[in-house]
Amino acid sequence: MSASFSLALGAAREAAASQHYPQAALYIVATPIGNLADISLRALHVLQICDAVACEDTRHTQSMLRAYGIDRPGAQLLAVHEHNEAEAAQQVIERLQQGGRIAYASDAGTPAVSDPGARLVAAVRAAGFRVVPLPGASSVTSVLSVAGALGDAGAFVFAGFLPAKAGERDAAVARLGQEPRAVVILEAPHRIEALAKSFAVLGARLVTVGRELTKQFEQVATVSCDAFAAWLDADSSRTRGEFALVLHPAPQAKADGEGLRVLALLMNELPLKTAVKLAAEISGESKNVLYDKALAMKGAGSSQAPQ
C-alpha cells in the first residue's frame, strides 16, 4: 500500500462511516477498470466493514484489496464467477441469512454489466434480501463520455460482447447497422481485428474506439467503420488491451418540403401511422424521419402543410 492509499482509507472512514450500512445485504461494489485511484470512498469503507467479499477471481481481488491496505483472510473471499454463479449464490444467501454484509466485486468495473453478478443479484433479491449499489468505474459510461456520440437525445444501446463466431458476429453487426441510436460494444484484444473487418459493411458510419481506458497507454480515436481495420493495422500496439467502442448514431436523413407537404395533407384524412407510411412511399423519404416529423406536428396541434 502506498501512503496515498493510507490517506484514502482514513478519508473513507471520515466520509462514509456515519452512513447507514444495513446488515443481511449484498453490496454491489464497482471497482477500477485500470487505475486504482478510481475507487470510491464508500467502496473502500464497505470493503473494510463487510463480513466477506464475493468476487469473480479471489486472487485478483485479494491483490487489489492489499494494494489499498485491506487484508482479508482467504476464508472471507468467496469465488463467484460465470462457471459457478448459480451454486455460489446459495453460499452468499446462507451468509445473508446469518445477518452478514457481503460485498460483491467483479475483476473490473461495475458488476453484472457484461461481467458475472446478474444471476447472483437475481437470486439474492428472490430470497428477499436487499441489494445495495455502490456506483463507480464503468467502461460503458467512460467511453460514452468521450465519444461525443449521444447528441441532444442522449440515447444509446448497450450491446456488450458480440458473438465470437464469424457468421453470428456479421449478422449482429448487420442488425446494429439498422439501429439509429449510439451502440456501446465491448471486445477483447484477440477478437478486435475480426470485429473491425465485420464493421466495414457499415461504411462511413463513425465508431469511437476506447482502448485501455484509464490505464497508462489509454487511447481514444474516432474513425469511420470502413477505415477501422486499416487504423488497427497502422500500429501493432492498437490491437492490445481491452476495448470499449461506441458505434455512433446513423446519420439522419432530412425530410424536404415535398415530403412534409404530402405528410401534412395525409394527416388531415388518415391515422398517423398510415399517413406516414403513404407519405414515405410517395416521396421516397425516410419513414422514420417522417414519423418523427408527424409526432412533432401532432404535438404542436397542427397538420397544416408548411408554407
Side-chain angles (χ1 to χ4, degrees):
M1 177 182 63
S2 69
S4 59
F5 286 126
S6 175
L7 293 173
L9 290 182
R13 287 190 293 271
E14 290 292 327
S18 62
Q19 299 175 15
H20 178 54
Y21 299 93
Q23 293 182 310
L26 176 67
Y27 293 82
I28 303 299
V29 182
T31 56
I33 60 176
N35 190 319
L36 283 173
D38 288 337
I39 191 77
S40 75
L41 294 179
R42 193 154 67 110
L44 285 176
H45 185 67
V46 166
L47 289 170
Q48 292 179 86
I49 68 169
C50 64
D51 297 292
V53 180
C55 44
E56 185 177 359
D57 184 325
T58 57
R59 292 168 299 178
H60 177 92
T61 299
Q62 183 73 283
S63 177
M64 179 192 71
L65 292 175
R66 286 174 175 166
Y68 293 130
I70 303 171
D71 196 12
R72 285 190 169 275
Q76 292 183 3
L77 297 177
L78 311 176
V80 182
H81 47 73
E82 62 178 330
H83 302 297
N84 77 340
E85 191 170 354
E87 298 82 2
Q90 296 309 309
Q91 299 179 37
V92 172
I93 290 171
E94 289 174 7
R95 297 207 179 205
L96 294 175
Q97 289 170 337
Q98 298 168 12
R101 298 184 185 97
I102 309 298
Y104 178 70
S106 58
D107 284 351
T110 302
V113 182
S114 280
D115 278 335
R119 284 183 289 177
L120 171 63
V121 169
V124 168
R125 290 177 62 86
F129 294 100
R130 184 172 176 181
V131 181
V132 181
L134 271 67
S138 165
S139 60
V140 176
T141 52
S142 294
V143 73
L144 279 170
S145 71
V146 295
L150 294 182
D152 295 335
F156 71 94
V157 175
F158 177 60
F161 289 90
L162 299 190
K165 293 183 179 179
E168 295 176 1
R169 182 179 57 249
D170 289 345
V173 169
R175 288 193 296 271
L176 294 180
Q178 302 302 311
E179 172 57 60
R181 294 165 292 184
V183 182
V184 179
I185 300 159
L186 305 180
E187 193 51 276
H190 65 279
R191 295 207 304 250
I192 192 64
E193 291 178 288
L195 179 67
K197 291 177 182 177
S198 296
F199 266 39
V201 299
L202 301 181
R205 190 166 175 177
L206 297 179
V207 59
T208 291
V209 184
R211 186 179 71 83
E212 292 287 83
L213 293 174
T214 78
K215 301 177 184 178
Q216 181 179 359
F217 299 108
E218 174 184 271
Q219 187 173 23
V220 178
T222 299
V223 297
S224 64
C225 288
D226 55 9
F228 185 10
W231 180 82
L232 288 175
D233 289 342
D235 185 341
S236 61
S237 67
R238 292 176 180 173
T239 59
R240 300 171 188 162
E242 300 300 320
F243 291 84
L245 308 99
V246 179
L247 180 63
H248 288 228
Q252 292 294 308
K254 295 182 179 180
D256 63 22
E258 178 62 16
L260 292 177
R261 187 185 70 82
V262 172
L263 176 63
L265 291 173
L266 292 174
M267 286 178 64
N268 285 326
E269 308 294 336
L270 299 170
L272 186 145
K273 288 186 177 180
T274 303
V276 169
K277 181 177 182 294
L278 291 175
E281 292 177 355
I282 293 169
S283 67
E285 295 179 12
S286 167
K287 182 178 177 180
N288 290 338
V289 172
L290 288 173
Y291 184 76
D292 290 342
K293 293 293 183 181
L295 290 178
M297 293 162 68
K298 185 176 180 180
S302 170
S303 60
Q304 299 299 314
Q307 300 299 315

